[in-house]
Amino acid sequence: MVFHLNLAFSSIDEGEHPTVVDRCYRPLLDLAEAGIPIGLEATGYTLRAIKKVAPEWIDCARHLISEGKVELIGSGFCQIIAPLVPPELTRRNLEYGLRDYDALLGAKPEVALVNEQAYSKGILPLYQAAGYKAVMMDWAEPASHNPNWSRALADRPQMLEGAAGVRLPVLWSDAIAFQKFQRYIHGELSVEEYFEFLSDLIVKGAKAIPIYTSDAEIFDYRPGRFHSEASLGGAEFECISILLESIKANEDVELVLPSEALRHLEPETAPIRLETSQVPVPVKKQRKYNLTRWGVTGRDDTRLNTLCWRKFMDLNAGGSDADWEALLQLWASDFRTHITDKRWQSLLEGLPVESEQASYAEANMEAEVPEAISIRQSGRFTAIEAEGVHLVLNSYRGLAIQSFGFGPADLSLSGKLDKSSVLGTLEHGFFEDIAYGADFYSGHLVHEPRHAHKITDLGRVKHDVFWQEASNAVVIQGFLDTGAGKLTKEIIFCPSEQSLTIRYDLSDLTIERGVSRLGFVTLNPDYFSEPDLFYACHNGGEDLEYFPLSCSAGVQEINHGKAVSRLVSASTALGMSGGCLFLGDDRTYVRLDMDRADCAGLGMIESRTIRGRNFIRGCISIDELDETSRMVPSGLADRMSPLRHHIRITLGKTRNLL
């Protein structure tokens, strides 16, 4: 049983800290003093905040930990979403947390609860390197994406395998179990119903049941996040005490500290992986909780995360511990969900106004295109060929990429993809299924406001072509009227690097928040080897994380951007903490880049086999919707230089990537 203590809770103002400590945290120590073994998980920030208002609580907790009545479960200095941040930040977060645990509680935890239960295989080596011997992670959500798992895996701790072959035991938390506990304490379940739930788990063979692994602040207090929160009836910790004493009195079960459950880990247990290609970053509880919640929703997550990346890049060459602590606090998850108006305003007032970023060099419109570069106009298509690569753009569709690949562009000028085309547009009728009876473009933008019609850059466009001598690139520039304002789109094609960069100027658009995705790359299924298809990116770790796309029936059905409900616009996403996303096979990859300091968007993959033909595409999301989204300006844009909506697409050889 682990209680999560969090005085950075998004909907709790600082003035409420004494009340929370008195109502929610003191009773936990009373339970321990009465002989109920409990785990307490808290950040260094929360422990410091407790010490400010109740230093005697810290002293008592320190004593109970030393006596073995309480086990401290690790978190970090702040609660951050590790798959979204650079590994250096997670290393410091874990290090600073351990420092505070030692200084305040005289303890070094061996088990860490993964922050917000947002896990990627890349972060497991960081926990091991910090000295943790096990992690705690949700069972219910990863299990729902691994139908091949036996239910028996939930009955005891398992061995988890992450990146670089790192293995650590995992103690399960469980969303169903802790929600049952909450419902009973809040009076929504009878005692008979709750004990029937526990008995059923025992009958099925459970050896280690995580009775509770969630927030302490929801008992005898309500954070006020949701209208649906249970009414406050009082004496809830008294109810918890009676329940736990009743369980303790049962001779068939034993209440133990969390790490004691590790004795049920079988010695020769085969390791498991939590991540899948469908859900590369599993998160706690129901599907509405996914990586977009802290990445591209909230009041202004995309801007806030981009600001954090800019500060990280400034600090990475140096910076004091105080500087790093300030950045960790700015990157804390609670600023990205139900943060109160008062705390958000305090955050804004504490931010210095950011200086303008250096602008990119302008192309010389007078420079002549070298003779070695062929530029042809054929109807709606503009074809550029040089150094064994080609790019074909469709001026009737906002300079969408008709074809980007190797060799000549001849066939692509007829509206079809050649076998040498790596990516481009799959024309209307490509798939023999009316459900997919549309054009599937590449290199475009789609914005779907919550209360208005879709906005795209797929209209007709007049464009200019000129040479950028400084970067040996052809520049194609167009201007579109979207109906919501004018949009500038610039494509910089560098044949020698087999790359193109799409730059948008969206400053003249007047649009409400919604779902914004751009940088689409639609693969040519005839170019790639089906059995070897993959995608890869960094999700908070040092190493690229590879995910297979193929399966026995063609390619796996994946749709990261599929809406969960009317309120939640996406199912999952990729952290892209390295700033890049790869799609390809064992020969060729397509690399999609978006600099984290330009705009910290998230990656998304969609794939399926449609009547024997494969549909595979990737994109970057810069805005999604969920119940944390605010539709009014956050004020953050006034403190920052503008976001840059720049995407680079590169072709490369996979052998150079592996």
Side-chain angles (χ1 to χ4, degrees):
M1 180 166 47
V2 176
F3 289 88
H4 170 57
L5 281 56
N6 180 20
L7 284 183
F9 210 120
S10 60
S11 54
I12 297 178
D13 284 322
E14 190 171 335
E16 285 288 290
H17 287 184
T19 301
V20 173
V21 172
D22 188 56
R23 291 187 183 180
C24 307
Y25 298 173
R26 290 187 193 278
L28 292 173
L29 301 187
D30 293 339
L31 287 175
E33 288 181 325
I36 302 295
I38 61 171
L40 297 180
E41 182 257 354
T43 62
Y45 171 88
T46 289
L47 293 176
R48 291 186 189 186
I50 294 173
K51 187 174 182 179
K52 283 183 181 179
V53 299
E56 70 282 0
W57 189 97
I58 294 292
D59 294 338
C60 183
R62 185 183 183 109
H63 174 69
L64 290 169
I65 290 169
S66 69
E67 288 194 334
K69 295 181 178 180
V70 168
E71 180 176 0
L72 178 63
I73 302 298
S75 173
F77 177 70
C78 286
Q79 186 169 253
I80 63 170
I81 308 303
L84 290 177
V85 306
E88 174 61 21
L89 195 85
T90 298
R91 272 194 290 269
R92 287 184 181 268
N93 191 45
L94 296 175
E95 174 192 338
Y96 290 4
L98 290 168
R99 175 202 61 194
D100 282 358
Y101 299 149
D102 180 54
L104 294 170
L105 298 176
K108 183 179 181 181
E110 295 190 343
V111 178
L113 188 143
V114 176
N115 290 168
E116 299 285 13
Q117 303 284 266
Y119 171 87
S120 73
K121 58 185 173 183
I123 69 173
L124 197 65
L126 303 177
Y127 279 91
Q128 184 189 62
Y132 284 103
K133 302 296 191 294
V135 294
M136 185 171 286
M137 183 60 197
D138 182 54
W139 157 265
E141 174 63 3
S144 72
H145 300 292
N146 285 279
N148 58 315
W149 282 6
S150 164
R151 177 61 184 80
L153 291 175
D155 293 339
R156 61 178 73 238
Q158 300 296 325
M159 185 61 70
L160 193 59
E161 184 168 0
V166 167
R167 295 180 179 182
L168 280 179
V170 58
L171 283 167
W172 297 120
S173 63
D174 184 59
I176 298 297
F178 76 65
Q179 287 170 351
K180 290 286 189 184
F181 184 94
Q182 289 171 352
R183 290 183 180 193
Y184 168 64
I185 300 303
H186 289 163
E188 297 173 1
L189 280 183
S190 69
V191 67
E192 291 81 10
E193 288 174 305
Y194 182 70
F195 276 115
E196 182 181 355
F197 166 72
L198 292 182
S199 297
D200 188 51
L201 292 177
I202 294 169
V203 168
K204 289 178 178 177
K207 300 297 182 184
I209 301 173
I211 293 176
Y212 191 71
T213 50
S214 192
D215 302 328
E217 299 85 4
I218 63 165
F219 301 120
D220 286 332
Y221 184 83
R222 297 292 184 268
R225 294 167 297 170
F226 308 113
H227 292 299
S228 59
E229 286 182 342
S231 59
L232 188 58
E236 289 174 346
F237 269 103
E238 184 178 338
C239 182
I240 290 173
S241 177
I242 293 170
L243 172 66
L244 296 178
E245 289 289 357
S246 177
I247 293 174
K248 185 181 177 183
N250 189 321
E251 295 181 356
D252 295 327
V253 298
E254 180 186 10
L255 287 178
V256 299
L257 295 172
S259 62
E260 292 181 56
L262 288 170
R263 66 175 183 256
H264 292 291
L265 176 67
E266 295 181 335
E268 302 302 320
T269 298
I272 61 172
R273 291 181 175 272
L274 303 185
E275 73 285 346
T276 66
S277 299
Q278 288 86 355
V279 184
V281 182
V283 175
K284 64 183 181 181
K285 299 197 288 189
Q286 286 81 3
R287 298 281 164 83
K288 73 175 183 178
Y289 293 91
N290 64 69
L291 201 58
T292 64
R293 184 178 186 84
W294 304 280
V296 287
T297 61
R299 285 184 184 249
D300 206 345
D301 289 355
T302 306
R303 273 197 178 86
L304 185 56
N305 289 334
T306 302
L307 178 63
C308 287
W309 275 101
R310 291 174 183 176
K311 289 181 177 294
F312 169 77
M313 291 172 184
D314 289 341
L315 272 185
N316 210 23
S320 66
D321 283 350
D323 293 330
W324 283 101
E325 287 180 8
L327 179 57
L328 285 165
Q329 290 182 53
L330 191 61
W331 231 318
S333 62
D334 293 286
F335 282 125
R336 289 152 177 81
T337 53
H338 298 280
I339 192 73
T340 65
D341 292 340
K342 184 176 180 180
R343 288 180 62 194
W344 183 258
Q345 191 59 38
S346 177
L347 179 148
L348 292 178
E349 291 170 358
L351 292 174
V353 177
E354 191 178 32
S355 58
E356 286 288 331
Q357 291 184 293
S359 60
Y360 288 98
E362 296 293 330
N364 181 2
M365 297 183 68
E366 303 299 324
E368 292 186 7
V369 177
E371 292 183 2
I373 295 177
S374 167
I375 299 179
R376 290 185 284 162
Q377 190 71 40
S378 178
R380 64 187 185 275
F381 298 121
T382 300
I384 307 165
E385 299 163 301
E387 303 194 39
V389 293
H390 71 260
L391 173 65
V392 180
L393 303 174
N394 185 345
S395 62
Y396 284 17
R397 291 294 180 264
L399 301 177
I401 300 170
Q402 177 64 28
S403 176
F404 182 24
F406 302 106
D410 295 344
L411 185 60
S412 299
L413 294 174
S414 69
K416 299 184 181 297
L417 291 182
D418 187 85
K419 287 188 176 181
S420 64
S421 299
V422 179
L423 64 95
T425 297
L426 303 182
E427 64 176 336
H428 175 251
F430 183 88
F431 296 109
E432 295 181 358
D433 186 330
I434 192 59
Y436 298 91
D439 294 290
F440 293 96
Y441 301 102
S442 290
H444 63 294
L445 170 154
V446 178
H447 176 75
E448 298 187 65
R450 174 168 273 177
H451 301 111
H453 292 295
K454 181 188 299 184
I455 297 165
T456 75
D457 64 342
L458 293 171
R460 290 199 181 197
V461 59
K462 291 183 178 180
H463 63 283
D464 298 308
V465 181
F466 41 92
W467 178 248
Q468 192 174 66
E469 194 167 4
S471 55
N472 291 317
V474 179
V475 178
I476 307 95
Q477 189 178 70
F479 304 90
L480 295 92
D481 190 342
T482 66
K486 293 190 182 299
L487 172 154
T488 302
K489 184 175 185 178
E490 193 173 72
I491 298 176
I492 300 94
F493 177 41
C494 187
S496 63
E497 296 182 3
Q498 299 178 173
S499 74
L500 63 91
T501 299
I502 304 171
R503 296 180 187 167
Y504 287 103
D505 182 350
L506 308 178
S507 58
D508 289 336
L509 295 186
T510 303
I511 53 177
E512 71 168 346
R513 284 195 67 179
V515 178
S516 289
R517 299 172 187 172
L518 69 170
F520 287 85
V521 289
T522 305
L523 300 193
N524 175 11
D526 295 329
Y527 182 86
F528 291 93
S529 168
E530 183 180 284
D532 303 305
L533 287 163
F534 73 92
Y535 73 85
C537 75
H538 297 86
N539 290 306
E542 294 283 2
D543 301 326
L544 271 175
E545 299 180 17
Y546 289 83
F547 297 89
L549 285 169
S550 58
C551 66
S552 59
V555 297
Q556 298 185 57
E557 186 166 337
I558 299 170
N559 192 351
H560 295 166
K562 183 180 180 181
V564 174
S565 68
R566 184 178 59 84
L567 287 178
V568 182
S569 62
S571 302
T572 187
L574 296 157
M576 275 185 65
S577 57
C580 54
L581 169 61
F582 296 87
L583 278 161
D585 62 10
D586 61 339
R587 297 179 302 118
T588 305
Y589 67 74
V590 177
R591 173 172 172 158
L592 192 58
D593 283 90
M594 193 174 213
D595 192 300
R596 304 291 83 189
D598 281 347
C599 182
L602 303 183
M604 290 183 171
I605 300 294
E606 183 176 2
S607 68
R608 60 177 50 82
T609 297
I610 305 164
R611 293 186 179 272
R613 306 198 81 173
N614 293 333
F615 174 57
I616 303 166
R617 76 187 329 189
C619 72
I620 296 175
S621 172
I622 58 172
D623 202 10
E624 297 290 332
L625 296 173
D626 65 14
E627 91 284 356
T628 72
S629 299
R630 293 289 188 95
M631 306 307 289
V632 296
S634 69
L636 195 53
D638 298 331
R639 315 295 295 180
M640 291 176 60
S641 61
L643 300 181
R644 288 173 164 172
H645 302 102
H646 300 169
I647 307 100
R648 190 177 194 223
I649 303 171
T650 307
L651 308 182
K653 297 299 181 185
T654 303
R655 66 173 180 269
N656 299 328
L657 180 65
L658 299 176

